[in-house]
Amino acid sequence: MRTALLAALRTTDTGDLRAGLALAGRSVLARQASLALALGYERVIVLAETTFPAVTEAEIGCREASAVFHHVTRLAELAALIHSEDELLILADGLLPDPAALRALVAPRNGALHLRRTVFCLSDDDPHALEFPADFERIDSARCWAGVLVMRGGLAQELVNFPQDSDAISLLLRLALQAGTPCHTLTCEERRTQAWFMADSSAAVLAREQVLVSQYAAAARGDAPYAQVAAWLGGWLVQRVGAAQAHRTQLSALGAGLGLMLAALFAAGWGAAASALLLAAAGVLTLGVSAALAGIVDALMGGRQSRWQTLLHEPGSDILSAAILAVALAGPDAPLAMSALGLIVMASLRLAASGSAARFAPLWRERVGQLSVLAIAAGAGLLGEAVAALCLAALAQVLFTPHHRSIPN
């Protein structure tokens, strides 16, 4: 059985357990357990002196993933749980490698059936080894342990021969080396600072959280200008309210965006087309902030937003915008057929975005700018003409862009 061994024993300078530090609302220990489960491990063993909230959180995460969880306090218990045919993954106390970097090292062939039995090492002049000599302990004259080890579980049986107060992780590392487990020294790219994080203090965890928020906010940016603004606002909000409150903030932004779109729909029904379109532009931007926040939250928490939220973000905002335009165009003196222009123009814009060259696509995805321009036209009494012109321009882009036509000749 694939078994992950995690230790929750080391403390920070303030006396707090490293494993209990919270990164974006989840404990370090729970995140380590998630890393193991993502690699296909079926059982997690936590070595800790007592049960504390992080242990309970890790246990809940394992149960939800249908994995086996054990909490042990003594070497004898640990040796009894690990069998000779087990494959054992060990992560150093407080170490949080980047998930992609860890997978590339442990499962380079990206297969659940092929994991490398390896002692991963750092060169002796590595900044991590120099900063944390007690964690990345020296294994020979030129190398230190990198905090990750995949070994044969049968070696753990020898733990019963050592004093019960011994450091189990250090002992297993030495046993793996004595048994001839291959060593791999991490390259500069593999051991870059952001890929190999040691949670040794609350300040370090907070700094890491801010880096991750900025990183994920950048990844959430779309190519349209409003989407980039929305992603920036999303990252700013997370840093202001804290990553632990990011999910609640995302739901609030989603509710606010839907509220603005409904207000725009009512305003359009009352004949205030210009105000309706301005409200719709604000609603689209707010829904964009919600989408960016959802991407940040999913990346931070390792989850995935629900399907209905995904549909509300895309294509939900376009469907609502089309409905608002349709109601705004269907004035008391306008023929009913005019309302169809609202649906046609939104469909044309989506076709233009997918069928135009890459340098023009952001222009056709810029909903906030388009709705704002239409609001100005509505204030001047030219909404129908502006919608028709925008529709014709989008269709012309699709029809006359070589090699990108979404509409057949």
Side-chain angles (χ1 to χ4, degrees), residues 53-392:
V55 175
T56 305
E57 183 185 355
E59 180 177 7
I60 292 171
C62 290
R63 303 298 186 203
E64 289 176 348
S66 300
V68 180
F69 180 87
H70 297 285
H71 168 218
V72 299
T73 58
R74 301 169 65 247
L75 289 187
E77 296 176 78
L78 182 59
L81 284 173
I82 301 174
H83 307 111
S84 58
E85 68 275 11
D86 288 348
E87 193 168 63
L88 190 61
L89 167 71
I90 298 175
L91 294 179
D93 196 337
L95 179 67
L96 282 178
D98 179 81
L102 182 63
R103 175 169 287 278
L105 287 172
V106 177
R109 284 182 272 180
N110 198 29
L113 300 177
H114 300 95
L115 299 183
R116 299 168 68 185
R117 288 183 179 175
T118 310
V119 178
F120 294 97
C121 308
L122 300 171
S123 59
D124 60 350
D125 60 348
D126 185 273
H128 289 85
L130 296 175
E131 186 176 1
F132 306 104
D135 299 289
F136 302 117
E137 59 181 283
R138 184 176 290 277
I139 60 175
D140 58 30
S141 61
R143 294 174 300 183
C144 300
W145 183 42
V148 178
L149 164 64
V150 180
M151 61 183 287
R152 186 166 52 86
L155 298 173
Q157 303 300 314
E158 299 184 35
L159 291 176
V160 295
N161 301 322
F162 295 92
Q164 291 300 299
D165 59 350
S166 301
D167 185 335
I169 304 300
S170 182
L171 286 176
L172 287 169
L173 171 63
R174 299 298 165 181
L175 290 170
L177 291 169
Q178 290 172 11
T181 305
C183 294
H184 170 77
T185 303
L186 304 187
T187 65
C188 292
E189 177 62 21
E190 291 169 342
R191 62 190 172 94
R192 67 188 189 278
T193 302
Q194 298 306 324
W196 228 246
F197 171 67
M198 177 60 75
D200 67 315
S201 67
S202 298
V205 169
L206 180 59
R208 175 63 171 169
E209 182 179 292
Q210 292 174 344
V211 168
L212 289 176
V213 169
S214 300
Q215 175 184 327
Y216 296 141
R221 290 174 188 163
D223 54 3
Y226 94 89
Q228 297 185 21
V229 172
W232 179 85
L233 286 172
W236 179 80
L237 281 171
V238 174
Q239 297 205 355
R240 287 296 299 270
V241 304
Q245 300 297 320
H247 181 62
R248 186 175 298 176
T249 305
Q250 184 259 323
L251 293 178
S252 299
L254 180 61
L258 291 175
L260 285 168
M261 298 301 274
L262 289 175
L265 196 59
F266 281 114
W270 281 99
S275 298
L277 292 171
L278 285 175
L279 284 170
V284 169
L285 179 60
T286 308
L287 287 175
V289 172
S290 174
L293 283 168
I296 296 170
V297 169
D298 290 349
L300 282 173
M301 305 301 289
R304 191 174 181 179
Q305 62 179 310
S306 62
R307 181 172 175 78
W308 69 269
Q309 285 193 44
T310 303
L311 292 175
L312 279 175
H313 293 143
E314 174 61 34
S317 61
D318 278 355
I319 293 172
L320 290 170
S321 298
I324 292 163
L325 272 171
V327 174
L329 288 164
D333 300 325
L336 188 59
M338 280 289 291
S339 62
L341 268 179
L343 305 176
I344 293 170
V345 71
M346 204 55 62
S348 302
L349 290 171
R350 290 178 68 87
L351 280 173
S354 61
S356 62
R359 64 182 181 277
F360 296 123
L363 174 67
W364 301 112
R365 292 192 182 97
E366 180 45 48
R367 294 289 180 269
V368 173
Q370 292 156 3
L371 291 170
S372 300
V373 169
L374 292 177
I376 295 171
L382 299 171
L383 179 59
E385 291 82 350
V387 170
L390 185 59
C391 184
L392 289 172

